[in-house]
Amino acid sequence: MQRSTRERLKATLRRGEEALSPRVLRRTLAELQAVVDAQVGEVEGGRRAQGVIDWYQHATPEQRRDMWLLMSEQFLQDPQRVKEARAIYDAAVGTPDEAAAEVMYRRATVSPRRRLLQRMSAAQGGIRFLVEMRAEMQAALKSDRRLLALDVEMEYMFSTWFDVAFLDLQRISWDSPASLVEKLIKYEAVHDIRSWSDVKNRLDSDRRCYGFFHASLPGEPLIFVEVALVDEMADSITPLLDEEGAPADLERATTAIFYSISNTQPGLRGVSFGDSLIKRVVDILKAEFPRLKCFATLSPIPGLRSWVQKNAPAELVAALDDPLALPAKSPQRRQLLGWAARYLGQEKQEGRPLDPVARFHLGNGARVERLNWAADPSAKGLKQSYGLMVNYLYDLKRLDKHRSMLAQGQIPISGAIEDLYL
């Protein structure tokens, strides 16, 4: 059975697979506590934080995990102080002292852990260090819930530090520094970039790519979106990724297709950028290309196949081993489209769309517009969704209406999707 850091700090001997001995664990805790010592100023606190960071950089993965546990379990709010502040606030409700009592209560509930993160962020490269540390923590979180307090605290802090007001939107083009173009190849999460000619195609004259950047992570896009400018809503990813295809005529372009959106920093999981990114990009594209009237995605449906295999009749699942070979009028093809429409238009988890990509776009105010057969015939597309892809439409006049519908538990869909329901 795993011992808490509280038990280990009181012990004399290391047990089992514990990385740090009780003596070293106590010394590490003392060094962390020294960072947030109320008697030292910001400069000295930052210097002490740098010392902890330097130790961490040379520590083993197991030793790093022990430091995470200390930060998570040993830097808690003072429960007595919180209790007293709460009592004062409750007594002040409805009196002139209410506002001041609320401030005192909020201060009492701020954990020393937050102060520790602030001091670490002030060290040279501190924010990058914390983002990378949280990324490293993600695998351990799945098996050790003791780290959850630290993870949630970091997500809260990052949501403040990486607020969209502090982000810089930049276009990424073929003329951008090679190091930045290489980041696109590295971080592309939807449709793998196969070669330099592939990435050049995605940055051609009829394409646009934009990313959000933060001063603390220079040269690192936090999220980027790839856009194709075309004359109609795209129903297949194949021509968009065709390196030999001729660029579209921008004079005829009426539609902007968002065909790939990739988050690049696992350490910023839970920090939302996509909504603001799409809004900003739409404004830029409208200004550059006034003829654009339609803004839509061509999106994967990553959870579809596994959901169909769990919920659809066994005979249908068996008939879908080679979906691309199904004739246009086959009943199995019609049934699969019906199950996909149900998955996107009805299935929810905790009141939100079940599919993660649907959850993102519908949360931004889009609606489920159209299902596209054999839109992604790649091995990945077949594995995820039998090759199906979906268009989410960003109707700029109805974004608020669609958000309101979603908040009331109704997924916005087009008539074409509704007609596919089984």
Side-chain angles (χ1 to χ4, degrees):
M1 183 176 178
Q2 294 178 322
R3 293 193 296 182
S4 67
T5 53
R6 185 178 301 276
E7 293 171 314
R8 292 172 59 190
L9 288 166
K10 295 178 179 178
T12 55
L13 298 175
R14 179 167 37 199
R15 179 188 295 175
E17 299 180 356
E18 295 171 353
L20 299 179
S21 68
R23 179 179 61 83
V24 177
L25 194 69
R26 287 190 288 269
R27 185 180 69 202
T28 304
L29 175 60
E31 291 172 352
L32 289 169
Q33 291 172 329
V35 173
V36 294
D37 188 334
Q39 303 302 314
V40 303
E42 295 296 326
V43 174
E44 175 61 17
R47 187 192 68 78
R48 295 180 181 186
Q50 187 65 59
V52 171
I53 292 172
D54 291 343
W55 173 88
Y56 183 94
Q57 302 288 18
H58 296 91
T60 66
E62 293 76 19
Q63 292 170 337
R64 293 179 175 187
R65 184 166 179 158
D66 273 352
M67 192 182 93
W68 304 339
L69 288 169
L70 286 173
M71 294 175 68
S72 195
E73 294 188 324
Q74 295 299 315
F75 289 81
L76 308 173
Q77 303 96 328
D78 182 338
Q80 184 60 34
R81 184 185 174 202
V82 172
K83 182 179 179 180
E84 293 173 354
R86 178 69 198 197
I88 293 172
Y89 172 71
D90 288 341
V93 171
T95 74
D97 297 326
E98 180 178 353
E102 180 187 5
V103 171
M104 290 179 59
Y105 175 65
R106 289 183 181 275
R107 287 176 176 171
T109 58
V110 174
S111 70
R113 188 187 307 111
R114 188 174 304 177
R115 184 62 175 155
L116 178 61
L117 294 173
Q118 289 172 331
R119 285 272 169 92
M120 285 184 165
S121 73
Q124 183 175 7
I127 290 182
R128 180 186 290 273
F129 165 76
L130 291 173
V131 171
E132 292 175 350
M133 186 179 86
R134 185 169 183 246
E136 189 181 359
M137 283 173 50
Q138 296 308 299
L141 269 169
K142 297 177 181 179
S143 59
D144 195 340
R145 303 301 287 174
R146 295 177 297 174
L147 297 172
L148 185 60
L150 175 58
D151 183 71
V152 172
E153 194 87 74
M154 295 181 84
E155 180 181 337
Y156 171 82
M157 298 298 290
F158 292 166
S159 295
T160 301
W161 296 340
F162 290 90
D163 184 270
V164 293
F166 305 127
L167 303 183
D168 180 28
L169 180 68
Q170 298 178 21
R171 180 181 170 188
I172 304 170
S173 72
W174 186 246
D175 295 326
S176 297
S179 59
L180 181 53
V181 177
E182 288 174 348
K183 297 288 174 60
L184 297 187
I185 299 175
K186 175 182 178 181
Y187 291 129
E188 167 61 54
V190 183
H191 304 290
D192 292 341
I193 297 177
R194 303 176 296 273
S195 63
W196 280 99
S197 58
D198 185 359
V199 74
K200 186 175 183 180
N201 172 58
R202 302 190 194 202
L203 300 175
D204 212 338
S205 60
D206 61 337
R207 305 299 177 89
R208 293 294 183 271
C209 180
Y210 297 93
F212 268 146
F213 294 78
H214 190 277
S216 295
L217 299 175
E220 287 277 344
L222 308 182
I223 184 174
F224 61 87
V225 59
E226 298 169 58
V227 188
L229 303 174
V230 293
D231 59 2
E232 62 181 353
M233 192 179 297
D235 61 4
S236 172
I237 195 63
T238 302
L240 300 185
L241 301 182
D242 182 5
E243 300 169 25
E244 303 300 325
D249 182 356
L250 291 180
E251 294 297 323
R252 300 179 58 191
T254 60
T255 304
I257 296 293
F258 302 92
Y259 65 93
S260 179
I261 300 176
S262 299
N263 286 289
T264 70
Q265 305 296 319
L268 296 179
R269 181 185 60 82
V271 181
S272 177
F273 306 117
D275 181 15
S276 297
L277 176 65
I278 290 177
K279 286 179 180 176
R280 296 270 298 275
V281 169
V282 166
D283 288 341
I284 290 175
L285 292 175
K286 286 173 62 181
E288 185 177 1
F289 302 102
R291 288 174 56 90
L292 292 178
K293 303 300 179 185
C294 178
F295 298 89
T297 78
L298 182 63
S299 298
I301 318 173
L304 178 62
R305 184 163 188 151
S306 61
W307 180 83
V308 167
Q309 290 176 338
K310 293 177 182 177
N311 293 278
E315 57 270 22
L316 173 60
V317 173
L320 296 175
D321 283 344
D322 187 5
L324 300 183
L326 294 174
K329 295 184 178 180
S330 70
Q332 293 86 0
R333 178 165 167 169
R334 174 67 179 80
Q335 290 172 42
L336 177 56
L337 286 169
W339 281 97
R342 173 182 161 184
Y343 173 72
L344 292 172
Q346 295 183 339
E347 293 300 308
K348 290 175 285 190
Q349 184 177 50
E350 297 179 355
R352 305 171 67 203
L354 179 60
D355 187 81
V357 177
R359 195 156 54 239
F360 171 79
H361 288 295
L362 296 174
N364 293 342
R367 79 177 184 192
V368 187
E369 186 67 12
R370 187 177 71 184
L371 278 165
N372 302 292
W373 185 265
D376 185 0
S378 69
K380 181 179 180 181
L382 292 171
K383 182 178 180 180
Q384 287 185 334
S385 60
Y386 301 102
L388 293 178
M389 297 187 78
V390 59
N391 301 116
Y392 295 103
L393 178 66
Y394 279 83
D395 185 336
L396 304 183
K397 296 180 179 180
R398 294 181 171 83
L399 298 181
D400 289 339
K401 175 184 177 182
H402 293 159
R403 289 194 192 92
S404 178
M405 291 174 60
L406 192 64
Q408 297 171 27
Q410 181 181 353
I411 295 178
I413 62 172
S414 68
I417 296 295
E418 191 170 11
D419 289 343
L420 291 173
Y421 281 169
L422 297 173

